[in-house]
Amino acid sequence: MKKILLLLLLATAHVMMAQDIKITKFERNYTSLIASMNPVYDNTGEACAVIKFFTRDEGITIEPNLGVLKRQNLQGEIRLWVPKGTKRITVRRRGLLPLTGYEIPLAIEPKVTYEATISIVEKAEASKFDFYVGAGFNVMSISGPSLTLGFDIQQHHIELGGVYGLNKSDDLYFYQGNSDPIAGYHYQPLRIQLSYGYELPLTDMFSVMPQVGLGFNVYTGEEVIKSGSTYGTASSLSALGGVRLMASITKQLKVHVTPEYDFGLTKNDACKLLSHYDDKCKSWTEGFNLNIGLLWSF
């Protein structure tokens, strides 16, 4: 069990790539005559400088601190005519954090051409956790309300959940030889489970998430015959596999239907006996299961 839990936790290790804007080069071009042959003048009559920005991204916008007198867009290049003394620029791109207040490393002089290279660089950063809680109802096998606490790291989901069973077994009796029953109980189930899933978006609204996990099942017995025997509690461990179908109602709220199948791994002696003689008790450890509920992320 420890090995399986460790594998579930290791499956959440995830690194995502974030993009930032960088200016990787800024220098004077001594051979270019663009700024001097056809000068553009600012409102004081001073000739402007020209900065040629090389970039592969056509969605880039550039904002010098003293403004722009003229702009020319070419393939892979943006030319800006800027006033003398321009010291800082801000570079923006939709969906990325802006490069704000970049300090120009050279003095900007009139009728001089400068060249700069803008790059979108990738850097590794720790993934952010999105926590969510869920409430629902287990329809099959263990029937009753369910609660879920989970988090996802870029579509990897780890969940801790529980189901409080409302359904009960029939009265079950234990005999020793041909004598009268030595004990009698009816049982009620409770499950605690840990699961891992990977969410696969189908559309903006719908997604599907295959899941695997473990469930610890406890059968609590209520005495029908006062005996003080050791059959009052039974327990088992299940492996589960399922597929969750989700639909987004709002950005934070989702509704889901989760069918799954449980495989019995281990049972204590009391659970083995109950499962052998009672199909309902057996279904609480192994068989089909269905959960319907809501998930709220924050």
PDB file of all heavy atoms in Angstrom, residues 188-224:
ATOM      1  N   GLN A 188     -23.174  -1.407   8.317  1.00  0.00           N
ATOM      2  CA  GLN A 188     -23.276  -0.157   7.563  1.00  0.00           C
ATOM      3  C   GLN A 188     -21.866   0.236   7.121  1.00  0.00           C
ATOM      4  O   GLN A 188     -20.929   0.210   7.926  1.00  0.00           O
ATOM      5  CB  GLN A 188     -23.886   0.936   8.434  1.00  0.00           C
ATOM      6  CG  GLN A 188     -24.243   2.210   7.700  1.00  0.00           C
ATOM      7  CD  GLN A 188     -25.078   3.147   8.574  1.00  0.00           C
ATOM      8  OE1 GLN A 188     -25.450   2.809   9.710  1.00  0.00           O
ATOM      9  NE2 GLN A 188     -25.396   4.308   8.050  1.00  0.00           N
ATOM     10  N   PRO A 189     -21.682   0.616   5.838  1.00  0.00           N
ATOM     11  CA  PRO A 189     -20.326   0.853   5.334  1.00  0.00           C
ATOM     12  C   PRO A 189     -19.875   2.315   5.443  1.00  0.00           C
ATOM     13  O   PRO A 189     -20.675   3.245   5.456  1.00  0.00           O
ATOM     14  CB  PRO A 189     -20.433   0.445   3.873  1.00  0.00           C
ATOM     15  CG  PRO A 189     -21.828   0.839   3.505  1.00  0.00           C
ATOM     16  CD  PRO A 189     -22.669   0.607   4.734  1.00  0.00           C
ATOM     17  N   LEU A 190     -18.566   2.472   5.471  1.00  0.00           N
ATOM     18  CA  LEU A 190     -17.901   3.780   5.412  1.00  0.00           C
ATOM     19  C   LEU A 190     -16.643   3.600   4.590  1.00  0.00           C
ATOM     20  O   LEU A 190     -15.913   2.612   4.759  1.00  0.00           O
ATOM     21  CB  LEU A 190     -17.543   4.273   6.812  1.00  0.00           C
ATOM     22  CG  LEU A 190     -16.690   5.550   6.896  1.00  0.00           C
ATOM     23  CD1 LEU A 190     -17.500   6.764   6.441  1.00  0.00           C
ATOM     24  CD2 LEU A 190     -16.172   5.758   8.319  1.00  0.00           C
ATOM     25  N   ARG A 191     -16.387   4.538   3.680  1.00  0.00           N
ATOM     26  CA  ARG A 191     -15.189   4.433   2.843  1.00  0.00           C
ATOM     27  C   ARG A 191     -14.379   5.719   2.896  1.00  0.00           C
ATOM     28  O   ARG A 191     -14.930   6.828   2.837  1.00  0.00           O
ATOM     29  CB  ARG A 191     -15.551   4.145   1.387  1.00  0.00           C
ATOM     30  CG  ARG A 191     -14.374   4.353   0.421  1.00  0.00           C
ATOM     31  CD  ARG A 191     -14.693   3.980  -0.995  1.00  0.00           C
ATOM     32  NE  ARG A 191     -14.738   2.536  -1.139  1.00  0.00           N
ATOM     33  CZ  ARG A 191     -14.871   1.934  -2.322  1.00  0.00           C
ATOM     34  NH1 ARG A 191     -15.009   2.643  -3.425  1.00  0.00           N
ATOM     35  NH2 ARG A 191     -14.905   0.621  -2.391  1.00  0.00           N
ATOM     36  N   ILE A 192     -13.052   5.563   2.953  1.00  0.00           N
ATOM     37  CA  ILE A 192     -12.105   6.662   2.781  1.00  0.00           C
ATOM     38  C   ILE A 192     -11.202   6.271   1.622  1.00  0.00           C
ATOM     39  O   ILE A 192     -10.682   5.150   1.579  1.00  0.00           O
ATOM     40  CB  ILE A 192     -11.275   6.900   4.054  1.00  0.00           C
ATOM     41  CG1 ILE A 192     -12.186   7.283   5.215  1.00  0.00           C
ATOM     42  CG2 ILE A 192     -10.238   7.997   3.819  1.00  0.00           C
ATOM     43  CD1 ILE A 192     -11.477   7.375   6.538  1.00  0.00           C
ATOM     44  N   GLN A 193     -11.019   7.182   0.667  1.00  0.00           N
ATOM     45  CA  GLN A 193     -10.223   6.808  -0.493  1.00  0.00           C
ATOM     46  C   GLN A 193      -9.290   7.928  -0.937  1.00  0.00           C
ATOM     47  O   GLN A 193      -9.544   9.118  -0.715  1.00  0.00           O
ATOM     48  CB  GLN A 193     -11.118   6.386  -1.660  1.00  0.00           C
ATOM     49  CG  GLN A 193     -11.983   7.484  -2.255  1.00  0.00           C
ATOM     50  CD  GLN A 193     -12.901   6.936  -3.336  1.00  0.00           C
ATOM     51  OE1 GLN A 193     -13.511   5.867  -3.179  1.00  0.00           O
ATOM     52  NE2 GLN A 193     -12.992   7.638  -4.451  1.00  0.00           N
ATOM     53  N   LEU A 194      -8.191   7.510  -1.552  1.00  0.00           N
ATOM     54  CA  LEU A 194      -7.195   8.411  -2.126  1.00  0.00           C
ATOM     55  C   LEU A 194      -7.066   8.067  -3.594  1.00  0.00           C
ATOM     56  O   LEU A 194      -6.912   6.886  -3.946  1.00  0.00           O
ATOM     57  CB  LEU A 194      -5.845   8.248  -1.426  1.00  0.00           C
ATOM     58  CG  LEU A 194      -4.691   9.109  -1.941  1.00  0.00           C
ATOM     59  CD1 LEU A 194      -4.948  10.588  -1.661  1.00  0.00           C
ATOM     60  CD2 LEU A 194      -3.372   8.669  -1.309  1.00  0.00           C
ATOM     61  N   SER A 195      -7.134   9.081  -4.465  1.00  0.00           N
ATOM     62  CA  SER A 195      -7.103   8.790  -5.901  1.00  0.00           C
ATOM     63  C   SER A 195      -6.257   9.804  -6.647  1.00  0.00           C
ATOM     64  O   SER A 195      -6.023  10.930  -6.194  1.00  0.00           O
ATOM     65  CB  SER A 195      -8.523   8.780  -6.475  1.00  0.00           C
ATOM     66  OG  SER A 195      -9.123  10.055  -6.355  1.00  0.00           O
ATOM     67  N   TYR A 196      -5.794   9.376  -7.817  1.00  0.00           N
ATOM     68  CA  TYR A 196      -5.047  10.238  -8.744  1.00  0.00           C
ATOM     69  C   TYR A 196      -5.747  10.213 -10.094  1.00  0.00           C
ATOM     70  O   TYR A 196      -6.199   9.159 -10.565  1.00  0.00           O
ATOM     71  CB  TYR A 196      -3.612   9.749  -8.924  1.00  0.00           C
ATOM     72  CG  TYR A 196      -2.949  10.339 -10.156  1.00  0.00           C
ATOM     73  CD1 TYR A 196      -2.480  11.649 -10.155  1.00  0.00           C
ATOM     74  CD2 TYR A 196      -2.831   9.595 -11.329  1.00  0.00           C
ATOM     75  CE1 TYR A 196      -1.901  12.198 -11.282  1.00  0.00           C
ATOM     76  CE2 TYR A 196      -2.256  10.135 -12.464  1.00  0.00           C
ATOM     77  CZ  TYR A 196      -1.790  11.441 -12.438  1.00  0.00           C
ATOM     78  OH  TYR A 196      -1.230  11.981 -13.567  1.00  0.00           O
ATOM     79  N   GLY A 197      -5.840  11.381 -10.739  1.00  0.00           N
ATOM     80  CA  GLY A 197      -6.441  11.450 -12.065  1.00  0.00           C
ATOM     81  C   GLY A 197      -5.769  12.508 -12.916  1.00  0.00           C
ATOM     82  O   GLY A 197      -5.131  13.436 -12.400  1.00  0.00           O
ATOM     83  N   TYR A 198      -5.908  12.364 -14.227  1.00  0.00           N
ATOM     84  CA  TYR A 198      -5.368  13.355 -15.162  1.00  0.00           C
ATOM     85  C   TYR A 198      -6.513  13.866 -16.030  1.00  0.00           C
ATOM     86  O   TYR A 198      -7.168  13.095 -16.736  1.00  0.00           O
ATOM     87  CB  TYR A 198      -4.279  12.751 -16.040  1.00  0.00           C
ATOM     88  CG  TYR A 198      -3.623  13.776 -16.946  1.00  0.00           C
ATOM     89  CD1 TYR A 198      -2.714  14.691 -16.417  1.00  0.00           C
ATOM     90  CD2 TYR A 198      -3.939  13.850 -18.300  1.00  0.00           C
ATOM     91  CE1 TYR A 198      -2.124  15.642 -17.232  1.00  0.00           C
ATOM     92  CE2 TYR A 198      -3.351  14.794 -19.120  1.00  0.00           C
ATOM     93  CZ  TYR A 198      -2.441  15.688 -18.576  1.00  0.00           C
ATOM     94  OH  TYR A 198      -1.860  16.643 -19.366  1.00  0.00           O
ATOM     95  N   GLU A 199      -6.742  15.172 -15.967  1.00  0.00           N
ATOM     96  CA  GLU A 199      -7.879  15.779 -16.660  1.00  0.00           C
ATOM     97  C   GLU A 199      -7.545  16.068 -18.118  1.00  0.00           C
ATOM     98  O   GLU A 199      -6.519  16.675 -18.429  1.00  0.00           O
ATOM     99  CB  GLU A 199      -8.291  17.071 -15.959  1.00  0.00           C
ATOM    100  CG  GLU A 199      -9.532  17.715 -16.538  1.00  0.00           C
ATOM    101  CD  GLU A 199      -9.976  18.938 -15.766  1.00  0.00           C
ATOM    102  OE1 GLU A 199      -9.356  19.252 -14.723  1.00  0.00           O
ATOM    103  OE2 GLU A 199     -10.946  19.599 -16.202  1.00  0.00           O
ATOM    104  N   LEU A 200      -8.427  15.638 -19.009  1.00  0.00           N
ATOM    105  CA  LEU A 200      -8.258  15.841 -20.447  1.00  0.00           C
ATOM    106  C   LEU A 200      -9.396  16.717 -20.966  1.00  0.00           C
ATOM    107  O   LEU A 200     -10.540  16.255 -21.049  1.00  0.00           O
ATOM    108  CB  LEU A 200      -8.268  14.500 -21.179  1.00  0.00           C
ATOM    109  CG  LEU A 200      -7.183  13.497 -20.763  1.00  0.00           C
ATOM    110  CD1 LEU A 200      -7.481  12.127 -21.353  1.00  0.00           C
ATOM    111  CD2 LEU A 200      -5.816  13.983 -21.192  1.00  0.00           C
ATOM    112  N   PRO A 201      -9.144  17.991 -21.272  1.00  0.00           N
ATOM    113  CA  PRO A 201     -10.211  18.860 -21.791  1.00  0.00           C
ATOM    114  C   PRO A 201     -10.690  18.381 -23.153  1.00  0.00           C
ATOM    115  O   PRO A 201      -9.887  18.058 -24.034  1.00  0.00           O
ATOM    116  CB  PRO A 201      -9.523  20.232 -21.893  1.00  0.00           C
ATOM    117  CG  PRO A 201      -8.302  20.130 -21.027  1.00  0.00           C
ATOM    118  CD  PRO A 201      -7.864  18.702 -21.099  1.00  0.00           C
ATOM    119  N   LEU A 202     -12.002  18.340 -23.314  1.00  0.00           N
ATOM    120  CA  LEU A 202     -12.606  18.007 -24.601  1.00  0.00           C
ATOM    121  C   LEU A 202     -13.045  19.261 -25.332  1.00  0.00           C
ATOM    122  O   LEU A 202     -12.845  19.392 -26.538  1.00  0.00           O
ATOM    123  CB  LEU A 202     -13.795  17.066 -24.396  1.00  0.00           C
ATOM    124  CG  LEU A 202     -13.482  15.736 -23.692  1.00  0.00           C
ATOM    125  CD1 LEU A 202     -14.767  14.919 -23.510  1.00  0.00           C
ATOM    126  CD2 LEU A 202     -12.448  14.929 -24.465  1.00  0.00           C
ATOM    127  N   THR A 203     -13.676  20.165 -24.606  1.00  0.00           N
ATOM    128  CA  THR A 203     -14.057  21.483 -25.107  1.00  0.00           C
ATOM    129  C   THR A 203     -13.796  22.469 -23.971  1.00  0.00           C
ATOM    130  O   THR A 203     -13.273  22.099 -22.924  1.00  0.00           O
ATOM    131  CB  THR A 203     -15.544  21.527 -25.515  1.00  0.00           C
ATOM    132  OG1 THR A 203     -16.352  21.370 -24.339  1.00  0.00           O
ATOM    133  CG2 THR A 203     -15.883  20.419 -26.508  1.00  0.00           C
ATOM    134  N   ASP A 204     -14.176  23.728 -24.178  1.00  0.00           N
ATOM    135  CA  ASP A 204     -14.034  24.718 -23.108  1.00  0.00           C
ATOM    136  C   ASP A 204     -14.909  24.373 -21.910  1.00  0.00           C
ATOM    137  O   ASP A 204     -14.619  24.771 -20.782  1.00  0.00           O
ATOM    138  CB  ASP A 204     -14.409  26.113 -23.615  1.00  0.00           C
ATOM    139  CG  ASP A 204     -13.392  26.654 -24.602  1.00  0.00           C
ATOM    140  OD1 ASP A 204     -12.255  26.143 -24.593  1.00  0.00           O
ATOM    141  OD2 ASP A 204     -13.731  27.557 -25.387  1.00  0.00           O
ATOM    142  N   MET A 205     -15.961  23.609 -22.138  1.00  0.00           N
ATOM    143  CA  MET A 205     -16.927  23.313 -21.076  1.00  0.00           C
ATOM    144  C   MET A 205     -16.788  21.898 -20.511  1.00  0.00           C
ATOM    145  O   MET A 205     -16.995  21.673 -19.326  1.00  0.00           O
ATOM    146  CB  MET A 205     -18.352  23.532 -21.600  1.00  0.00           C
ATOM    147  CG  MET A 205     -19.440  23.340 -20.561  1.00  0.00           C
ATOM    148  SD  MET A 205     -21.066  23.722 -21.252  1.00  0.00           S
ATOM    149  CE  MET A 205     -22.123  23.381 -19.837  1.00  0.00           C
ATOM    150  N   PHE A 206     -16.434  20.936 -21.358  1.00  0.00           N
ATOM    151  CA  PHE A 206     -16.430  19.536 -20.950  1.00  0.00           C
ATOM    152  C   PHE A 206     -15.015  18.981 -20.871  1.00  0.00           C
ATOM    153  O   PHE A 206     -14.132  19.364 -21.660  1.00  0.00           O
ATOM    154  CB  PHE A 206     -17.254  18.694 -21.932  1.00  0.00           C
ATOM    155  CG  PHE A 206     -18.712  19.054 -21.968  1.00  0.00           C
ATOM    156  CD1 PHE A 206     -19.205  19.856 -22.979  1.00  0.00           C
ATOM    157  CD2 PHE A 206     -19.579  18.584 -20.993  1.00  0.00           C
ATOM    158  CE1 PHE A 206     -20.544  20.195 -23.031  1.00  0.00           C
ATOM    159  CE2 PHE A 206     -20.922  18.913 -21.028  1.00  0.00           C
ATOM    160  CZ  PHE A 206     -21.403  19.725 -22.040  1.00  0.00           C
ATOM    161  N   SER A 207     -14.811  18.066 -19.915  1.00  0.00           N
ATOM    162  CA  SER A 207     -13.529  17.381 -19.781  1.00  0.00           C
ATOM    163  C   SER A 207     -13.766  15.976 -19.242  1.00  0.00           C
ATOM    164  O   SER A 207     -14.824  15.673 -18.682  1.00  0.00           O
ATOM    165  CB  SER A 207     -12.578  18.151 -18.860  1.00  0.00           C
ATOM    166  OG  SER A 207     -13.109  18.243 -17.550  1.00  0.00           O
ATOM    167  N   VAL A 208     -12.766  15.126 -19.416  1.00  0.00           N
ATOM    168  CA  VAL A 208     -12.837  13.755 -18.931  1.00  0.00           C
ATOM    169  C   VAL A 208     -11.559  13.477 -18.139  1.00  0.00           C
ATOM    170  O   VAL A 208     -10.493  13.995 -18.478  1.00  0.00           O
ATOM    171  CB  VAL A 208     -13.006  12.762 -20.104  1.00  0.00           C
ATOM    172  CG1 VAL A 208     -11.829  12.832 -21.059  1.00  0.00           C
ATOM    173  CG2 VAL A 208     -13.182  11.348 -19.592  1.00  0.00           C
ATOM    174  N   MET A 209     -11.673  12.676 -17.072  1.00  0.00           N
ATOM    175  CA  MET A 209     -10.507  12.434 -16.223  1.00  0.00           C
ATOM    176  C   MET A 209     -10.440  10.961 -15.800  1.00  0.00           C
ATOM    177  O   MET A 209     -11.198  10.528 -14.942  1.00  0.00           O
ATOM    178  CB  MET A 209     -10.546  13.329 -14.981  1.00  0.00           C
ATOM    179  CG  MET A 209      -9.300  13.194 -14.100  1.00  0.00           C
ATOM    180  SD  MET A 209      -9.218  14.462 -12.818  1.00  0.00           S
ATOM    181  CE  MET A 209     -10.536  13.906 -11.720  1.00  0.00           C
ATOM    182  N   PRO A 210      -9.557  10.171 -16.412  1.00  0.00           N
ATOM    183  CA  PRO A 210      -9.307   8.815 -15.906  1.00  0.00           C
ATOM    184  C   PRO A 210      -8.714   8.886 -14.502  1.00  0.00           C
ATOM    185  O   PRO A 210      -7.916   9.774 -14.194  1.00  0.00           O
ATOM    186  CB  PRO A 210      -8.296   8.246 -16.909  1.00  0.00           C
ATOM    187  CG  PRO A 210      -8.414   9.118 -18.125  1.00  0.00           C
ATOM    188  CD  PRO A 210      -8.781  10.472 -17.616  1.00  0.00           C
ATOM    189  N   GLN A 211      -9.102   7.944 -13.634  1.00  0.00           N
ATOM    190  CA  GLN A 211      -8.664   7.944 -12.241  1.00  0.00           C
ATOM    191  C   GLN A 211      -8.258   6.545 -11.798  1.00  0.00           C
ATOM    192  O   GLN A 211      -8.815   5.547 -12.250  1.00  0.00           O
ATOM    193  CB  GLN A 211      -9.787   8.421 -11.314  1.00  0.00           C
ATOM    194  CG  GLN A 211     -10.100   9.905 -11.378  1.00  0.00           C
ATOM    195  CD  GLN A 211     -11.184  10.272 -10.389  1.00  0.00           C
ATOM    196  OE1 GLN A 211     -12.290   9.744 -10.451  1.00  0.00           O
ATOM    197  NE2 GLN A 211     -10.878  11.167  -9.470  1.00  0.00           N
ATOM    198  N   VAL A 212      -7.280   6.501 -10.889  1.00  0.00           N
ATOM    199  CA  VAL A 212      -6.925   5.268 -10.177  1.00  0.00           C
ATOM    200  C   VAL A 212      -6.737   5.632  -8.715  1.00  0.00           C
ATOM    201  O   VAL A 212      -6.476   6.791  -8.373  1.00  0.00           O
ATOM    202  CB  VAL A 212      -5.637   4.628 -10.733  1.00  0.00           C
ATOM    203  CG1 VAL A 212      -5.834   4.143 -12.153  1.00  0.00           C
ATOM    204  CG2 VAL A 212      -4.471   5.621 -10.667  1.00  0.00           C
ATOM    205  N   GLY A 213      -6.882   4.636  -7.837  1.00  0.00           N
ATOM    206  CA  GLY A 213      -6.711   4.954  -6.424  1.00  0.00           C
ATOM    207  C   GLY A 213      -6.923   3.761  -5.524  1.00  0.00           C
ATOM    208  O   GLY A 213      -6.998   2.607  -5.971  1.00  0.00           O
ATOM    209  N   LEU A 214      -7.008   4.062  -4.235  1.00  0.00           N
ATOM    210  CA  LEU A 214      -7.207   3.062  -3.196  1.00  0.00           C
ATOM    211  C   LEU A 214      -8.366   3.484  -2.307  1.00  0.00           C
ATOM    212  O   LEU A 214      -8.543   4.676  -2.036  1.00  0.00           O
ATOM    213  CB  LEU A 214      -5.945   2.915  -2.337  1.00  0.00           C
ATOM    214  CG  LEU A 214      -4.700   2.341  -2.993  1.00  0.00           C
ATOM    215  CD1 LEU A 214      -3.517   2.452  -2.049  1.00  0.00           C
ATOM    216  CD2 LEU A 214      -4.936   0.891  -3.393  1.00  0.00           C
ATOM    217  N   GLY A 215      -9.142   2.498  -1.846  1.00  0.00           N
ATOM    218  CA  GLY A 215     -10.234   2.777  -0.926  1.00  0.00           C
ATOM    219  C   GLY A 215     -10.143   1.878   0.298  1.00  0.00           C
ATOM    220  O   GLY A 215      -9.941   0.663   0.175  1.00  0.00           O
ATOM    221  N   PHE A 216     -10.258   2.486   1.474  1.00  0.00           N
ATOM    222  CA  PHE A 216     -10.284   1.718   2.725  1.00  0.00           C
ATOM    223  C   PHE A 216     -11.719   1.666   3.210  1.00  0.00           C
ATOM    224  O   PHE A 216     -12.348   2.700   3.452  1.00  0.00           O
ATOM    225  CB  PHE A 216      -9.384   2.380   3.766  1.00  0.00           C
ATOM    226  CG  PHE A 216      -9.361   1.649   5.085  1.00  0.00           C
ATOM    227  CD1 PHE A 216      -8.822   0.383   5.177  1.00  0.00           C
ATOM    228  CD2 PHE A 216      -9.887   2.235   6.231  1.00  0.00           C
ATOM    229  CE1 PHE A 216      -8.799  -0.301   6.384  1.00  0.00           C
ATOM    230  CE2 PHE A 216      -9.874   1.569   7.442  1.00  0.00           C
ATOM    231  CZ  PHE A 216      -9.327   0.293   7.515  1.00  0.00           C
ATOM    232  N   ASN A 217     -12.247   0.460   3.336  1.00  0.00           N
ATOM    233  CA  ASN A 217     -13.656   0.256   3.652  1.00  0.00           C
ATOM    234  C   ASN A 217     -13.806  -0.300   5.069  1.00  0.00           C
ATOM    235  O   ASN A 217     -13.091  -1.233   5.449  1.00  0.00           O
ATOM    236  CB  ASN A 217     -14.279  -0.727   2.664  1.00  0.00           C
ATOM    237  CG  ASN A 217     -13.944  -0.386   1.229  1.00  0.00           C
ATOM    238  OD1 ASN A 217     -14.344   0.645   0.719  1.00  0.00           O
ATOM    239  ND2 ASN A 217     -13.184  -1.255   0.572  1.00  0.00           N
ATOM    240  N   VAL A 218     -14.715   0.280   5.814  1.00  0.00           N
ATOM    241  CA  VAL A 218     -15.000  -0.180   7.169  1.00  0.00           C
ATOM    242  C   VAL A 218     -16.479  -0.523   7.261  1.00  0.00           C
ATOM    243  O   VAL A 218     -17.335   0.282   6.886  1.00  0.00           O
ATOM    244  CB  VAL A 218     -14.647   0.896   8.220  1.00  0.00           C
ATOM    245  CG1 VAL A 218     -15.017   0.412   9.625  1.00  0.00           C
ATOM    246  CG2 VAL A 218     -13.166   1.241   8.158  1.00  0.00           C
ATOM    247  N   TYR A 219     -16.784  -1.728   7.726  1.00  0.00           N
ATOM    248  CA  TYR A 219     -18.159  -2.152   7.956  1.00  0.00           C
ATOM    249  C   TYR A 219     -18.410  -2.094   9.467  1.00  0.00           C
ATOM    250  O   TYR A 219     -17.797  -2.849  10.228  1.00  0.00           O
ATOM    251  CB  TYR A 219     -18.409  -3.580   7.502  1.00  0.00           C
ATOM    252  CG  TYR A 219     -18.074  -3.898   6.062  1.00  0.00           C
ATOM    253  CD1 TYR A 219     -18.228  -5.194   5.586  1.00  0.00           C
ATOM    254  CD2 TYR A 219     -17.621  -2.927   5.181  1.00  0.00           C
ATOM    255  CE1 TYR A 219     -17.930  -5.517   4.273  1.00  0.00           C
ATOM    256  CE2 TYR A 219     -17.328  -3.244   3.869  1.00  0.00           C
ATOM    257  CZ  TYR A 219     -17.471  -4.533   3.412  1.00  0.00           C
ATOM    258  OH  TYR A 219     -17.179  -4.848   2.111  1.00  0.00           O
ATOM    259  N   THR A 220     -19.272  -1.232   9.900  1.00  0.00           N
ATOM    260  CA  THR A 220     -19.589  -1.109  11.323  1.00  0.00           C
ATOM    261  C   THR A 220     -20.875  -1.873  11.626  1.00  0.00           C
ATOM    262  O   THR A 220     -21.922  -1.619  11.025  1.00  0.00           O
ATOM    263  CB  THR A 220     -19.762   0.362  11.718  1.00  0.00           C
ATOM    264  OG1 THR A 220     -18.568   1.077  11.387  1.00  0.00           O
ATOM    265  CG2 THR A 220     -20.021   0.493  13.207  1.00  0.00           C
ATOM    266  N   GLY A 221     -20.779  -2.818  12.557  1.00  0.00           N
ATOM    267  CA  GLY A 221     -21.923  -3.659  12.859  1.00  0.00           C
ATOM    268  C   GLY A 221     -22.715  -3.177  14.059  1.00  0.00           C
ATOM    269  O   GLY A 221     -22.146  -2.703  15.051  1.00  0.00           O
ATOM    270  N   GLU A 222     -24.007  -3.245  13.947  1.00  0.00           N
ATOM    271  CA  GLU A 222     -24.897  -2.981  15.077  1.00  0.00           C
ATOM    272  C   GLU A 222     -25.492  -4.310  15.529  1.00  0.00           C
ATOM    273  O   GLU A 222     -26.049  -5.068  14.729  1.00  0.00           O
ATOM    274  CB  GLU A 222     -26.007  -2.011  14.683  1.00  0.00           C
ATOM    275  CG  GLU A 222     -26.923  -1.636  15.832  1.00  0.00           C
ATOM    276  CD  GLU A 222     -27.968  -0.609  15.429  1.00  0.00           C
ATOM    277  OE1 GLU A 222     -27.800   0.046  14.372  1.00  0.00           O
ATOM    278  OE2 GLU A 222     -28.963  -0.475  16.172  1.00  0.00           O
ATOM    279  N   GLU A 223     -25.358  -4.611  16.808  1.00  0.00           N
ATOM    280  CA  GLU A 223     -25.741  -5.929  17.308  1.00  0.00           C
ATOM    281  C   GLU A 223     -27.250  -6.186  17.219  1.00  0.00           C
ATOM    282  O   GLU A 223     -28.059  -5.331  17.574  1.00  0.00           O
ATOM    283  CB  GLU A 223     -25.293  -6.100  18.754  1.00  0.00           C
ATOM    284  CG  GLU A 223     -23.796  -6.334  18.914  1.00  0.00           C
ATOM    285  CD  GLU A 223     -23.445  -6.677  20.344  1.00  0.00           C
ATOM    286  OE1 GLU A 223     -24.008  -6.030  21.256  1.00  0.00           O
ATOM    287  OE2 GLU A 223     -22.610  -7.575  20.547  1.00  0.00           O
ATOM    288  N   VAL A 224     -27.560  -7.360  16.708  1.00  0.00           N
ATOM    289  CA  VAL A 224     -28.923  -7.864  16.745  1.00  0.00           C
ATOM    290  C   VAL A 224     -29.073  -8.811  17.934  1.00  0.00           C
ATOM    291  O   VAL A 224     -30.117  -8.870  18.578  1.00  0.00           O
ATOM    292  CB  VAL A 224     -29.271  -8.589  15.436  1.00  0.00           C
ATOM    293  CG1 VAL A 224     -30.693  -9.155  15.493  1.00  0.00           C
ATOM    294  CG2 VAL A 224     -29.128  -7.651  14.248  1.00  0.00           C
TER     295      VAL A 224
END
